[in-house]
Amino acid sequence: MDPMASSTRPAPTVGFDLDMTLIDSRPGIHACYLELSARTGTYIDADLAVTRLGPPLAEELANWFPAEEIPAVADLYREIYPAYAIEPTLVLPGAREAVAAVREAGGRAVVVTAKYEPNAKLHLAHLGIEPDAVIGGLWAEQKAVALREHDADVYVGDHVGDVRGARAAGARSVAVASGPCDAGELRAAGADVVLADLTGFPKWLAAYRDGEGDGDGDGDAGGPAAARA
């Protein structure tokens, strides 16, 4: 048997977070919060809210609304979201290429996100990103449920909550410093790999599949890792 062939890992299943990993949803979410504020008559600092994307919607709403109002306000937010948040949202550098790299390796790409699943699917369709599956409504360690169901080998995300989800699932944690958590925070949380953004992911994936250094360490994404807060 060719010793080089024996070291190649099987085609991987890779999970991706959505907000600030694949997409920059800050412009759309900002617009949605402004509309939510106008409809409810409650002040929301949209500029501040979009610096801490990642956790479930209810956690952010708790900063602005009484607990008893949050379920109804969350329903309103999700209802108006398609009209205000989809069009302004941008694809992040390297996102399409990262998903394509998984496919080219013969693997599957799944999106696992805390976002309301129908809205997550709208974002992906609008931006032309086509994963094999989309699972919404899961945060941090809860993400491990979907990652295990899909036998994910790797989970890619921008938040320490994503690192926790990967570790809970027994998946390799590849962190990207394109969201609210900087590279130091992601390393401290236990990320196996920290990339500046997804532009470095195809190179990392190729090395991981070839068994080079077990895919560990910091990836070279063409510049220093910097949070996009």
Side-chain angles (χ1 to χ4, degrees), residues 14-167:
V14 178
F16 292 92
D17 178 46
L18 183 63
D19 293 283
M20 303 312 300
T21 298
L22 291 172
I23 66 173
D24 184 352
S25 52
R26 291 174 299 179
I29 290 175
H30 188 278
C32 196
Y33 274 131
L34 291 180
E35 180 63 18
L36 184 68
S37 179
R39 293 197 185 198
T40 61
T42 299
Y43 173 73
I44 299 171
D45 187 339
D47 291 336
L48 177 60
V50 298
T51 68
R52 49 195 185 199
L53 300 182
L57 173 63
E59 292 190 20
E60 182 59 44
L61 295 179
N63 294 304
W64 315 107
F65 295 90
E68 64 273 14
E69 295 181 14
I70 289 175
V73 173
D75 286 345
L76 175 59
Y77 175 93
R78 294 181 181 118
E79 177 186 333
I80 66 176
Y81 191 96
Y84 291 90
I86 303 301
E87 185 69 30
T89 291
L90 307 170
V91 66
L92 280 170
R96 294 189 182 98
E97 293 83 357
V99 172
V102 176
R103 293 270 180 71
E104 287 165 7
R108 299 178 70 249
V110 299
V111 171
V112 182
T113 174
K115 189 178 292 296
Y116 179 56
E117 188 174 305
N119 289 339
K121 290 178 176 178
L122 288 175
H123 275 304
L124 292 164
H126 177 70
L127 293 171
I129 300 172
E130 299 181 359
D132 295 282
V134 180
I135 305 93
L138 299 176
W139 162 241
E141 288 83 358
Q142 297 171 345
K143 294 187 174 188
V145 174
L147 294 172
R148 286 193 295 261
E149 285 178 355
H150 288 270
D151 294 321
D153 306 285
V154 175
Y155 185 57
V156 186
D158 66 282
H159 200 284
V160 294
D162 299 322
V163 178
R164 286 157 41 202
R167 297 187 72 82

Side-chain angles (χ1 to χ4, degrees), residues 180-220:
C181 301
D182 65 27
E185 291 176 277
L186 296 165
R187 290 190 195 98
D192 296 299
V193 180
V194 180
L195 304 173
D197 56 33
L198 284 176
T199 59
F201 181 78
K203 178 181 177 181
W204 176 84
L205 181 64
Y208 171 74
R209 290 206 67 217
D210 288 343
E212 296 178 11
D214 203 34
D216 290 327
D218 291 338
D220 177 9

